Amino acid sequence: MVRFKRILLKLSGESLAGAQGYGIDVAHLQSYAKQVKEAHDMGVQIAIVIGGGNIFRGLQGAGKGFDRVKGDQMGMLATVINSLGLSSALTAAGCPNQVLTAIRMEPIGELFTKWRAIEAMEQGKVVILSCGTGSPYFTTDTGSSLRGIEVEADVMLKGTRVDGIYTADPEKDPAAVKFDEITYDEVYQRGLKVMDLTAVTMCRDNGLPIYVFNMDVEGNLRRVLEGENIGTLVK
């Protein structure tokens, strides 16, 4: 038995860069594809949103003189590059998948609608949802919340480089304590950097739980789906 029937998996673009710090690290990409296929083979319906920070971040670009709207549009295109890379890796691993885009750009991907995404998942495909929300000023975290709610996911699984949510940054504060479970309101009150506040608010208002875990440890996605307590649940 699996813990969730349908998931929205959020992956960070930065994690795809691996040790090189930029672009796509093939070993990381293949590891993610292997874990997603493993989850797919368990019978879980999977939608994926992946960021583009390994290539370009609109907000950082705005700080360097880029127009914010154009910078965010560049970031959306970065998510498309990552989505195509993940799609290719999944296909090579024998996992059926389909890329949907928030902005019309056939033949790269089909335009996203809730019904098309759900139909593809029910047909046994992993759907990769690119371009965030399709609008500037929104992060891919918010895009993940929106898509998770739209496709009626049971949970948003946020795959990161750390094994959950802590009282402080565990990489900077050795005294930081990990939460096994926390409420949306505690995230606000403690000022925790789980996701941007717009994303957290959308999840809270629509009853979408968030589970934060370390996706960089191979096999962790399967462990989460099997019910192991290896991360932090926000509800």
Side-chain angles (χ1 to χ4, degrees):
M1 295 293 291
V2 293
R3 188 175 180 181
F4 308 108
K5 179 184 176 183
R6 180 181 294 165
I7 64 171
L8 187 292
L9 177 62
K10 169 61 167 68
L11 300 174
S12 75
E14 287 90 340
S15 292
L16 270 186
Q20 64 193 31
Y22 179 82
I24 297 175
D25 179 87
V26 174
H28 257 71
L29 185 67
Q30 291 174 339
S31 173
Y32 281 178
K34 180 180 178 180
Q35 292 192 72
V36 170
K37 182 180 186 300
E38 191 173 34
H40 175 267
D41 290 346
M42 295 168 70
V44 179
Q45 294 182 2
I46 306 169
I48 300 175
V49 171
I50 188 165
N54 56 318
I55 299 171
F56 190 85
R57 294 179 66 89
L59 190 57
Q60 290 179 355
K64 297 178 181 178
F66 284 88
D67 174 82
R68 176 62 191 272
V69 173
K70 292 188 185 303
D72 282 352
Q73 289 170 338
M74 292 168 69
M76 292 175 209
L77 295 179
T79 73
V80 176
I81 292 172
N82 286 339
S83 295
L84 293 175
L86 182 59
S87 173
S88 180
L90 285 171
T91 299
C95 184
N97 66 89
Q98 183 166 1
V99 174
L100 303 178
T101 63
I103 300 168
R104 188 175 294 281
M105 54 176 68
E106 295 91 342
I108 287 175
E110 188 177 336
L111 185 67
F112 168 85
T113 67
K114 164 183 176 170
W115 301 278
R116 184 67 192 99
I118 291 175
E119 179 185 43
M121 285 189 287
E122 290 180 341
Q123 290 172 346
K125 298 178 183 177
V126 172
V127 293
I128 306 170
L129 311 177
S130 63
C131 300
T133 66
S135 298
Y137 296 97
F138 291 97
T139 66
T140 49
D141 280 346
T142 301
S144 301
S145 300
L146 175 62
R147 296 297 183 238
I149 294 161
E150 285 184 290
V151 303
E152 302 174 17
D154 298 321
V155 67
M156 180 199 298
L157 300 183
K158 183 172 170 61
T160 68
R161 294 175 294 182
V162 294
D163 62 346
I165 302 170
Y166 286 75
T167 52
D169 187 341
E171 295 178 353
K172 298 178 181 177
D173 184 356
V177 177
K178 179 187 167 188
F179 296 100
D180 288 330
E181 201 170 285
I182 191 171
T183 67
Y184 304 108
D185 289 341
E186 283 181 284
V187 170
Y188 298 134
Q189 293 161 6
R190 292 175 176 268
L192 301 174
K193 306 296 183 183
V194 180
M195 306 173 79
D196 69 77
L197 293 183
T198 303
V200 175
T201 300
M202 287 189 68
C203 289
R204 183 195 65 181
D205 291 351
N206 292 276
L208 180 65
I210 306 165
Y211 194 85
V212 180
F213 72 106
N214 186 349
M215 183 77 176
D216 287 356
V217 176
E218 201 162 288
N220 267 1
L221 179 57
R222 172 183 51 79
R223 295 184 185 100
V224 170
L225 295 172
E226 288 176 341
E228 286 191 40
N229 185 22
I230 60 170
T232 301
L233 178 66
V234 184
K235 65 177 187 177

